Amino acid sequence: MSPHVFRLRAVLLAGASLASPSLACAQSAPASSSDPAIAPAPPPVSDATAKRVYLPADFARFAPQTAYDMLTQMPGFTIKTADQERGLGQASENVLVNGERIANKSGGAVDELRKVPAANVERIELVDAASLGIAGLVGQVANVIVKAAGGKGQFEWTPDFRPHFARANLYSGSISYSGKFDWLDYTLSVVDDTGRGGFGGPVLITDASGALTERRYQIYHSESDLLTVKAKLAFRGPGSAKGNLTLSGTPYWNPSYNGDRRTRADGDDRSRVIRNRLDGFYYDLSGDYDFRFGPGRLKLIGVRHFDHEPIVQTQIMRFDSGAPDTGILFGRNSYIGETVGRAEYSWKTGKNAWQVSFERAYNSLDQRGSLAQLSPAGGFVPVPFPGGSGKVEETRYEGTATLSRPLGPKLDLQIVLGAEQSTLARVDGNLAPRKFFRPKGSVSLGWRPSPGWDASLKLRRRVGQISFYDFLSQPNLSQDRQNAGNPELVPPQSWELEGEVGRELGRWGKTRLRGYAHRITDIVDIIPIGTSDEGVGNLPRASRLGIVSTSTLQFDPVGWRGAKLDATMGIERTRVRDPLTAVERSIGGNHDVWLDFSFRQDVPRSRFAWGGEASYDHFNKSYYPTEVTRSWEGPWWISGFIERKDLAGMTVRLTVLNLLNARHRLDRAVYDGYRTVSPLSFREQHNQLIGPIIALSVRGKF
């Protein structure tokens, strides 16, 4: 429940993704190699009717370096990384390794498969989630079967460069080594997960009548580096027992610069600079031990995450008139902790597969915040910052029982029943601890009506996630706004109905269609607090409806050998009642339309591949009590790449992104007070250059 590493990584990389959402795709796209002769991939092997089996030969034309490279080329399959659930909770990542969920908070199965050599993959099984006996999964799940092997290493270097605003990203990459020693398998790795973002250009400020009052020229750039050193140990014995231990540590750095020059209609010209410094460290420890106990197996899991996150933000305004500079200094020193212990006991009775689980989680945030103002003499003088410091804790207990069984040769059922009890407290406040009891669980069906078809349906009761930071005051210097702390914040709860149907198209590929409907209570949004403040809080109800299509189309049947198109299209509609107007609107800032088309051809009888990607994203407006904002980039992101395979044993890819000059856009309307009763103060409009991005990927093994 506390903001842990994945939330932090999203914050650190926000600058890079803000300036270029496609860059993240370029850095994570697989670089593969293949033999000179390319034969059409054979259809997957059928193993009864419950799963499809893909063998290494099915991916030969890509000659993947890692198990993850194979996974990304699965036709019609979209990798879903783990939700940031409370504690460990139910499984949400749709990838397994050797039939097991990777239950940790440091990357899960996807991160592990990035370090597994492709030669160690025996097969990939595409399985209906309802047939697995693992609580929480829905739709199709990729089960990657890997074998231990002798010492093998691999490396990846993924720099990128931009001609405008952003600094060169030279150090992005990773190196890992896997081996075994009798009963012990091990993987050692070092990953520098970097981000470089930037944009610049005009900002126009107009008054309520539309008259131009100020013209700005803004430059923004951000640099982030997360250097993770990790060791994973997998051991066997005694007997059928097996276990895993993962140790990782990550120092990180995230400086950023946001400066502008302001030319005003009244002649009072000025400039503003905001600098951010974030130099912190986090570590993750996780382990599990699975052994036979009575008629079944008992699995014990432990996770510990700790993060020291010190932030210093400085804003200084300088005036051409010679007036004294003004400024604000915000400091926040945070210690974030999460400790989870979980026990799972599984057994079978006939066709029934049973599992009971019990989990205890403790989360905490200890924040010491401070504010200071720049004095005319030039020094920063502390000012009161009520609500900026505090400690928030939650202790939570959860129990679930899961039943999985086939209802026939083509139909599987899974039922999960459970509940959680939690105590949430602002330790150094005057409020008494709050206690909650919340039921949760799900019912899932997996159906295979005929060869080539599969379908699933799931109804779930879910308890969502909140950030402890929202319990305390947090200023936003770049927009001259402050979120007041809200000690009454509670996690959202929802009823979620999801259905999915898939169709194998033989040599043509595969297509899937997923629909969902969510009914949410206590949804988290920005709300009025007190008589004039605003902050993160809860609204009573909201709804979310969406449909997503994922398809892979192979062109071999029409004679275009080695070519394929992956297409994802989604649309979502949301409704929530505005806390000020009482009128229904969309959920603030939700992603309501997305399109992604990715083309690749592995050229026959050559070691070259080429292709490109086109993506479109639309986000709704974000609503605050005192303003309405919409931010976007694009509308289209277009990229192209060329890849050379087996170049001295390496794969080298050159990608050029933002070929159609997608720009950073923002439209912000700010009111003198609450927007329902106050006049418009000003409108702020951004239309700024991002520019092209040149990305290189060099991957190999040793």
Side-chain angles (χ1 to χ4, degrees):
M1 179 167 170
S2 68
H4 45 69
V5 56
F6 292 101
R7 179 185 182 277
L8 170 66
R9 291 176 71 168
V11 171
L12 293 179
L13 297 174
S17 61
L18 177 66
S20 172
S22 292
L23 176 57
C25 298
Q27 290 174 329
S28 62
S32 56
S33 60
S34 69
D35 296 327
I38 298 178
V45 178
S46 296
D47 186 354
T49 58
K51 61 187 175 184
R52 295 291 182 267
V53 178
Y54 291 83
L55 302 175
D58 298 328
F59 306 98
R61 83 191 222 195
F62 310 109
Q65 300 272 3
T66 68
Y68 176 78
D69 295 343
M70 293 182 174
L71 201 62
T72 59
Q73 300 298 342
M74 293 273 290
F77 181 75
T78 300
I79 298 172
K80 181 182 179 184
T81 56
D83 295 335
Q84 299 315 301
E85 297 285 353
R86 298 155 61 75
L88 292 175
Q90 299 183 17
S92 55
E93 188 178 30
N94 64 349
V95 180
L96 307 176
V97 178
N98 291 334
E100 296 185 354
R101 171 196 179 193
I102 305 300
N104 61 36
K105 293 262 182 170
S106 56
V110 170
D111 180 72
E112 182 170 320
L113 293 174
R114 291 179 186 273
K115 304 176 182 68
V116 174
N120 290 8
V121 177
E122 293 186 347
R123 63 186 184 279
I124 301 178
E125 302 171 348
L126 207 55
V127 190
D128 290 322
S131 67
L132 291 171
I134 300 176
L137 297 178
V138 65
Q140 293 224 311
V141 176
N143 179 25
V144 184
I145 307 300
V146 302
K147 59 185 177 181
K152 294 181 180 179
Q154 52 201 10
F155 64 88
E156 180 178 16
W157 182 46
T158 54
D160 61 79
F161 313 88
R162 308 187 189 199
H164 307 288
F165 311 116
R167 297 178 180 177
N169 183 12
L170 299 177
Y171 307 113
S172 176
S174 65
I175 184 169
S176 64
Y177 185 84
S178 300
K180 61 181 301 184
F181 178 77
D182 194 14
W183 48 270
L184 179 69
D185 303 330
Y186 62 90
T187 299
L188 308 176
S189 63
V190 179
V191 178
D192 191 0
D193 191 359
T194 65
R196 301 290 186 268
F199 56 79
V203 179
L204 303 181
I205 308 296
T206 56
D207 62 17
S209 67
L212 182 65
T213 61
E214 182 174 296
R215 183 187 297 272
R216 303 174 184 172
Y217 186 86
Q218 179 190 23
I219 293 178
Y220 169 85
H221 61 83
S222 172
E223 300 80 42
S224 66
D225 288 85
L226 297 93
L227 185 64
T228 300
V229 180
K230 179 183 290 189
K232 179 178 180 183
L233 309 175
F235 52 92
R236 299 172 295 278
S240 63
K242 54 186 176 180
N244 299 278
L245 178 64
T246 301
L247 314 172
S248 69
T250 304
Y252 56 84
W253 304 268
N254 183 211
S256 67
Y257 171 90
N258 186 353
D260 59 59
R261 171 68 182 166
R262 306 182 178 193
T263 304
R264 295 166 54 98
D266 61 6
D268 188 14
D269 298 344
R270 58 190 69 176
S271 60
R272 185 182 75 167
V273 172
I274 301 175
R275 296 183 184 274
N276 179 88
R277 188 178 79 244
L278 171 56
D279 301 331
F281 176 88
Y282 64 80
Y283 69 78
D284 287 280
L285 309 175
S286 63
D288 61 79
Y289 189 59
D290 183 305
F291 57 95
R292 182 171 296 280
F293 185 79
R297 297 190 69 87
L298 178 62
K299 187 172 187 177
L300 304 177
I301 307 171
V303 171
R304 171 61 178 168
H305 170 77
F306 178 81
D307 183 4
H308 179 209
E309 185 182 288
I311 295 176
V312 177
Q313 293 179 331
T314 306
Q315 173 184 289
I316 296 179
M317 186 83 74
R318 293 185 170 89
F319 300 88
D320 291 7
S321 65
D325 296 347
T326 62
I328 299 175
L329 175 66
F330 167 60
R332 189 180 73 195
N333 194 18
S334 301
Y335 296 90
I336 304 161
E338 181 172 25
T339 305
V340 183
R342 183 179 178 87
E344 300 174 348
Y345 186 66
S346 306
W347 75 99
K348 289 186 177 182
T349 58
K351 295 182 178 180
N352 299 325
W354 301 87
Q355 184 187 87
V356 292
S357 67
F358 178 78
E359 179 174 303
R360 182 188 187 274
Y362 171 77
N363 301 92
S364 65
L365 166 67
D366 188 352
Q367 172 179 310
R368 302 295 118 181
S370 62
L371 274 181
Q373 288 184 343
L374 186 64
S375 70
F380 282 96
V381 179
V383 298
F385 186 33
S389 297
K391 186 173 183 179
V392 184
E393 295 180 340
E394 183 190 41
T395 302
R396 183 180 56 83
Y397 298 90
E398 175 189 284
T400 61
T402 303
L403 166 65
S404 302
R405 65 162 293 152
L407 299 181
K410 299 181 180 180
L411 186 64
D412 294 298
L413 169 70
Q414 184 184 92
I415 301 175
V416 182
L417 298 176
E420 69 168 54
Q421 179 175 313
S422 63
T423 301
L424 188 60
R426 169 79 182 270
V427 175
D428 51 358
N430 297 322
L431 298 176
R434 294 176 292 158
K435 295 185 178 181
F436 303 94
F437 178 83
R438 302 180 180 94
K440 56 172 56 174
S442 61
V443 178
S444 305
L445 287 171
W447 183 38
R448 299 166 298 281
S450 61
W453 286 91
D454 67 87
S456 64
L457 184 67
K458 179 178 181 179
L459 176 64
R460 181 186 186 190
R461 176 65 173 176
R462 180 171 179 260
V463 180
Q465 184 83 316
I466 57 175
S467 167
F468 283 176
Y469 276 124
D470 297 328
F471 285 72
L472 306 170
S473 298
Q474 310 293 342
N476 185 330
L477 300 187
S478 65
Q479 296 190 353
D480 299 315
R481 190 178 69 240
Q482 177 171 309
N483 284 345
N486 182 5
E488 300 296 330
L489 187 66
V490 299
Q493 302 178 76
S494 56
W495 285 102
E496 301 177 353
L497 179 65
E498 299 187 14
E500 188 172 316
V501 61
R503 171 62 173 164
E504 297 276 0
L505 304 176
R507 296 177 61 237
W508 288 94
K510 188 175 184 179
T511 185
R512 302 194 67 77
L513 188 67
R514 181 174 69 93
Y516 55 91
H518 298 174
R519 183 68 174 174
I520 311 164
T521 56
D522 292 327
I523 187 171
V524 175
D525 207 329
I526 304 295
I527 65 170
I529 295 179
T531 58
S532 59
D533 291 331
E534 64 184 31
V536 177
N538 298 106
L539 296 179
R541 289 174 297 277
S543 62
R544 177 179 283 117
L545 299 172
I547 188 167
V548 183
S549 168
T550 304
S551 302
T552 296
L553 181 62
Q554 305 277 2
F555 293 103
D556 289 274
V558 295
W560 196 0
R561 297 180 60 204
K564 72 183 183 78
L565 176 69
D566 294 299
T568 299
M569 297 171 282
I571 185 170
E572 180 176 281
R573 293 294 177 261
T574 60
R575 286 290 180 268
V576 67
R577 195 170 296 277
D578 190 279
L580 293 179
T581 66
V583 175
E584 285 193 342
R585 58 166 171 81
S586 61
I587 295 175
N590 86 290
H591 194 191
D592 64 338
V593 178
W594 57 97
L595 306 170
D596 187 87
F597 303 96
S598 179
F599 172 82
R600 176 187 175 102
Q601 185 191 19
D602 292 271
V603 180
R605 294 180 296 277
S606 81
R607 292 186 173 90
F608 286 93
W610 69 280
E613 183 176 8
S615 62
Y616 170 89
D617 294 277
H618 184 272
F619 294 86
N620 279 320
K621 297 177 180 178
S622 295
Y623 296 86
Y624 304 87
T626 58
E627 66 179 77
V628 178
T629 301
R630 180 170 174 254
S631 178
W632 72 100
E633 292 180 346
W636 284 91
W637 280 85
I638 309 294
S639 67
F641 76 87
I642 184 169
E643 183 176 284
R644 173 63 159 89
K645 299 172 281 188
D646 195 18
L647 180 62
M650 300 181 296
T651 299
V652 180
R653 172 187 284 199
L654 179 66
T655 305
V656 181
L657 302 99
N658 198 15
L659 293 173
L660 291 188
N661 195 30
R663 297 176 69 84
H664 170 69
R665 305 291 298 273
L666 182 143
D667 191 348
R668 180 182 178 219
V670 180
Y671 297 81
D672 286 330
Y674 285 166
R675 52 185 162 81
T676 51
V677 295
S678 302
L680 179 69
S681 176
F682 65 90
R683 183 179 295 275
E684 177 181 337
Q685 295 175 298
H686 297 227
N687 185 354
Q688 298 167 309
L689 175 69
I690 298 171
I693 305 164
I694 301 171
L696 179 67
S697 172
V698 180
R699 308 175 70 227
K701 53 191 175 183
F702 58 90

